Amino acid sequence: MSQSQPKRVTIIDTGCANLSSVRFALLRLGAEVTVSRDPAQILASDRVILPGVGSAPAGMQALRDSGVLETLGQLTQPVLGICLGMQLLGQSSDEGQARLTGLLPFRCRKLKADGQPLPHMGWNTISPGDHPLFAGIADGSHLYFVHSYAVAESELTLARCHYGQTFSAAVGRGNLMGVQFHPERSGPVGAKILQNFLEMPS
């Protein structure tokens, strides 16, 4: 990282995600990383990561059980949702008809894979837009995906991907961002995206 002061990052401990790979990826970039569900810790962080693995209903239940659901709406620092964590930023999901956090105005729908296997699992290319999260990321860069539900393109879309249909590989508005792929499992390109997240202006 270019800054002399390492960024303090809190990964929200939802209890339902594989947090270690995200944590190690951030540590390799020089960040100070804490895994926590303490609202004071989360609010005091320079950056917040919302991870997620599994289903939307289970993810929302984990947020409620962890006691951080209300805290999410109070955050003003950069926040990055990863995979299911991105989807949880939306309003609703067709998966289990789940009501989500409502922090961003989108709905998650079953991916129309045009006969291809679901989940969409493995490496695929993205087309990034002009956003600090994707600074230095070339069109056609490969990233690692695992998902069956997706977010349609909209004014929130920061990057696109195609698998049967074109969908949002990343979304964002203001301090809230989400990526459908797993940057921590996407090699140097994923590391660069995480570094951009750490270095973008607060």
Side-chain angles (χ1 to χ4, degrees):
M1 289 178 58
S2 61
Q3 295 98 329
S4 57
Q5 290 294 324
K7 294 295 186 183
R8 298 168 300 153
V9 182
T10 296
I11 302 172
I12 295 177
D13 182 8
T14 58
C16 71
N18 179 12
L19 306 176
S20 60
S21 58
V22 179
R23 177 174 173 269
F24 288 134
L26 292 165
L27 287 172
R28 285 194 293 269
L29 295 172
E32 292 182 0
V33 186
T34 303
V35 178
S36 178
R37 58 180 60 182
D38 175 49
Q41 168 69 37
I42 296 167
L43 288 166
S45 302
D46 297 317
R47 301 287 185 271
V48 176
I49 300 277
L50 176 61
V53 173
S55 70
M60 283 304 299
Q61 189 60 52
L63 283 180
R64 287 188 287 268
D65 291 346
S66 68
V68 302
L69 191 55
E70 291 186 0
T71 305
L72 285 175
Q74 302 171 27
L75 299 177
T76 58
Q77 65 271 65
V79 177
L80 181 66
I82 295 176
C83 196
L84 179 64
M86 165 183 147
Q87 296 183 10
L88 295 180
L89 296 174
Q91 294 174 316
S92 65
S93 175
D94 288 354
E95 186 177 21
Q97 303 305 310
R99 292 183 61 187
L100 307 178
T101 63
L103 294 173
L104 290 175
F106 65 75
R107 181 175 180 175
C108 301
R109 297 183 181 274
K110 189 74 170 284
L111 191 60
K112 297 177 181 178
D114 193 25
Q116 299 177 89
L118 285 177
H120 170 212
M121 180 181 297
W123 296 87
N124 205 341
T125 57
I126 66 163
S127 297
D130 183 19
H131 188 275
L133 190 62
F134 292 97
I137 303 299
D139 186 51
S141 293
H142 286 78
L143 293 141
Y144 190 84
F145 291 82
V146 183
H147 64 115
S148 296
Y149 291 79
V151 178
E153 293 180 274
S154 73
E155 69 279 0
L156 299 173
T157 301
L158 305 181
R160 293 166 174 80
C161 183
H162 190 85
Y163 187 78
Q165 69 173 88
T166 301
F167 62 90
S168 295
V171 296
R173 186 177 68 183
N175 68 308
L176 300 175
M177 291 154 279
V179 293
Q180 185 61 71
F181 51 84
H182 285 273
E184 77 283 4
R185 297 169 68 178
S186 297
V189 174
K192 173 61 174 170
I193 291 169
L194 289 175
Q195 182 177 1
N196 288 342
F197 174 65
L198 294 176
E199 294 184 351
M200 68 174 52
S202 299

